[in-house]
C-alpha cells in the first residue's frame, strides 16, 4: 500500500521532528526509543525512524495531512519489510535478474549523486529569456488551439493496402467505419481532445493546415488510429500564466547542458575502447548528444510525440 505524498526537503527536518513523538507513541506502547531506533518490528526486523524520515523527504505533505501521511508511510514501510523478508526466504535477492537490477539502480544513484555534486545549479532565466521563448513558440502559448478529434482505433496489422485506398477515397470517418464493419475489421470508436501544446510543433502546424474532417493516421506500434479533426478552438495562454512553466523548462535545459558538458569532459579524459563492433561506436565517433527536450507545455505528452513520427511519414505529411 503505497503513498502518493511528496515532502518539501527544506521543511522535512522540521516536519519530521514534530512527527517523531507521535510515531514513537505508535510504536512504543510503554517502551522508550532513542532517535533513529525502531518504530516497529516485523518478525524481528526493525522499521526505524531513519527509514521513515527518508520516506518523508521524498514526499510533499500538507500540514493538515501530516498525521495521516505518517501513519500511512509507516504502514507502507511495514508492508515493504514483509515483502522483502518473504523474498529473501525464497532467495529472490540472489536471482541473477534481481541482482542485475539492483546493480543498475545502484549505478544510477551513484552517477546522479556525482552530477548533483559536480554540476552547478543553473542560473535562473531572466524575464527577457522567458519572453523570448514565449514569443518564439506561439502554438504552445499565445496561438494555442484545442483540437477536438474523432478516431477509429484498430490493430496495425489490419491496416491493409485496401483499407488505405478506402481512406484515400473516403470523405468521412463514418464511411471508413462502415467499410470496416462490412469487411469484419475490428475497431473501436473514441473521441479525443488535444491542444497544440500537447503535440510536436511540426505535427500541430500540419494538422491545422488540413481541412476539418480530413483523415490521417497515427501508428502507435501494434495499434493504429485513424483520426479526423472535428473542431478547432482558440485557447491562448498568457505570458504571465506560462512564465513558471517556461522557467522550469529552461532550467531543465540548462541542467541537461551542464550535465552533457561534464560528460564530454569525462569522456575526453577517459580511454574508451569498443570491443563489440556491432554495438560499439566507431573510434572516431563523438559522444552522442542528448536528445532535445520537449517544449514545456508538451513535456507531459511523450506518447503523443513518439506516435507523431509515423503520423508525419503518412498521416500528416501526405494522407489524403
Amino acid at each position: 500500500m503505497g503513498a502518493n505524498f511528496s515532502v518539501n526537503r527544506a521543511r522535512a527536518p522540521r516536519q519530521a521532528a514534530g512527527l517523531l513523538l507521535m510515531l514513537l507513541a505508535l510504536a512504543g506502547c510503554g517502551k522508550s526509543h532513542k532517535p533513529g531506533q525502531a518504530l516497529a518490528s516485523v518478525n524481528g526486523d526493525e522499521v526505524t525512524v531513519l527509514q521513515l524520515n527518508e520516506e518523508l523527504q521524498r514526499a510533499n505533505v500538507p500540514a493538515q495531512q501530516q498525521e495521516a501521511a505518517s501513519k500511512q508511510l509507516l504502514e507502507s514501510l511495514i508492508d515493504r519489510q514483509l515483502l522483502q523478508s518473504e523474498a529473501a526466504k525464497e532467495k529472490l535477492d540472489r536471482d541473477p535478474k534481481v541482482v542485475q537490477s539492483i546493480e543498475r539502480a545502484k549505478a544510477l544513484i551513484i552517477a546522479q549523486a556525482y552530477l548533483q555534486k559536480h554540476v552547478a545549479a543553473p542560473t535562473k532565466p531572466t524575464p527577457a529569456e522567458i519572453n523570448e521563448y514565449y514569443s518564439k513558440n506561439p502554438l504552445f502559448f499565445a496561438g494555442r488551439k484545442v483540437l477536438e478529434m474523432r478516431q477509429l482505433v484498430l490493430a496495425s496489422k489490419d491496416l491493409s493496402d485496401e483499407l488505405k485506398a478506402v481512406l484515400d477515397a473516403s470523405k468521412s470517418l463514418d464511411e471508413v467505419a462502415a467499410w470496416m464493419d462490412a469487411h469484419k475489421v475490428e475497431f473501436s470508436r473514441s473521441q479525443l481532445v488535444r491542444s497544440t501544446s500537447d503535440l510536436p510543433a511540426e505535427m500541430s502546424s500540419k494538422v491545422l493546415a488540413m481541412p476539418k474532417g480530413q483523415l490521417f493516421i497515427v501508428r502507435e506500434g501494434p495499434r493504429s488510429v485513424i483520426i479526423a479533426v472535428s473542431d478547432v478552438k482558440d485557447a491562448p495562454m498568457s505570458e504571465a500564466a506560462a512564465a513558471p512553466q517556461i522557467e522550469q523548462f529552461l532550467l531543465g535545459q540548462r541542467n541537461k547542458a551542464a550535465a552533457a558538458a561534464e560528460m564530454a569532459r569525462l569522456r575526453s579524459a577517459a580511454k574508451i575502447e569498443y570491443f563489440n563492433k556491432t554495438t560499439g561506436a566507431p573510434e572516431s565517433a563523438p559522444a552522442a548528444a542528448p536528445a532535445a527536450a520537449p517544449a514545456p507545455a508538451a513535456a507531459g505528452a511523450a506518447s503523443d510525440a513518439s506516435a507523431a513520427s509515423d503520423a508525419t511519414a503518412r498521416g500528416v505529411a501526405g494522407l489524403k
Side-chain angles (χ1 to χ4, degrees):
M1 107 179 151
N4 281 331
F5 297 104
S6 67
V7 171
N8 185 314
R9 293 179 179 273
R11 300 199 323 254
R14 185 171 67 250
Q15 293 173 346
L19 293 169
L20 284 183
L21 290 177
M22 184 275 295
L23 289 167
L24 290 173
L26 285 174
C29 297
K31 298 180 182 179
S32 61
H33 295 285
K34 296 179 181 179
Q37 288 189 337
L39 293 173
S41 175
V42 183
N43 295 327
D45 294 316
E46 294 182 345
V47 177
T48 69
V49 171
L50 292 178
Q51 288 175 285
L52 180 70
N53 287 345
E54 174 65 21
E55 295 301 311
L56 287 169
Q57 289 177 357
R58 294 177 181 273
N60 187 13
V61 184
Q64 64 273 21
Q65 297 180 15
Q66 288 179 12
E67 182 176 352
S70 60
K71 290 178 181 179
Q72 189 173 355
L73 287 170
L74 179 59
E75 295 304 319
S76 186
L77 284 168
I78 290 172
D79 287 350
R80 187 189 306 171
Q81 184 62 55
L82 283 169
L83 291 171
Q84 185 177 342
S85 298
E86 292 303 307
K89 289 178 185 177
E90 297 181 15
K91 295 184 171 54
L92 292 178
D93 54 333
R94 302 180 190 178
D95 182 283
K97 290 184 179 179
V98 174
V99 172
Q100 185 177 14
S101 295
I102 292 171
E103 289 303 313
R104 180 180 182 275
K106 179 181 176 181
L108 288 171
I109 291 169
I110 293 172
Q112 184 63 33
Y114 174 88
L115 288 175
Q116 288 176 345
K117 180 179 179 180
H118 292 277
V119 175
T123 57
K124 187 176 180 179
T126 65
E129 290 170 325
I130 292 173
N131 174 263
E132 180 183 14
Y133 190 88
Y134 179 88
S135 301
K136 286 184 176 180
N137 294 276
L139 285 178
F140 296 141
F141 306 115
R144 188 173 67 137
K145 298 181 183 299
V146 169
L147 309 174
E148 295 181 2
M149 296 175 278
R150 298 169 58 220
Q151 58 184 28
L152 306 176
V153 183
L154 68 157
S156 293
K157 62 181 178 60
D158 292 333
L159 193 62
S160 62
D161 289 340
E162 187 179 7
L163 176 53
K164 291 176 185 176
V166 171
L167 287 170
D168 290 342
S170 297
K171 297 181 179 179
S172 73
L173 210 61
D174 290 335
E175 287 184 27
V176 177
W179 185 93
M180 289 197 289
D181 274 331
H183 290 78
K184 309 300 182 186
V185 177
E186 292 188 3
F187 68 94
S188 62
R189 293 177 182 264
S190 64
Q191 294 184 330
L192 190 67
V193 177
R194 285 285 185 270
S195 74
T196 52
S197 60
D198 296 328
L199 304 172
E202 181 184 3
M203 184 177 185
S204 292
S205 297
K206 291 181 177 178
V207 172
L208 289 172
M210 293 178 178
K212 284 184 183 179
Q214 181 168 336
L215 307 179
F216 64 97
I217 299 172
V218 172
R219 301 177 199 263
E220 300 172 335
R223 77 169 196 164
S224 290
V225 186
I226 304 170
I227 303 174
V229 177
S230 57
D231 199 9
V232 178
K233 298 178 181 178
D234 292 329
M237 179 184 290
S238 69
E239 184 174 346
Q245 191 178 31
I246 296 173
E247 180 179 298
Q248 288 303 311
F249 172 71
L250 294 177
L251 282 171
Q253 277 193 322
R254 292 176 184 183
N255 266 322
K256 289 182 179 181
E262 177 63 12
M263 286 309 310
R265 185 189 71 80
L266 293 174
R267 280 177 169 264
S268 67
K271 181 181 179 181
I272 301 174
E273 298 178 78
Y274 295 94
F275 301 111
N276 187 334
K277 297 301 182 183
T278 61
T279 57
E283 293 181 6
S284 59
S303 60
D304 292 310
S306 61
S309 59
D310 195 32
T312 302
R314 172 168 169 77
V316 178
L319 188 63
K320 292 182 175 61

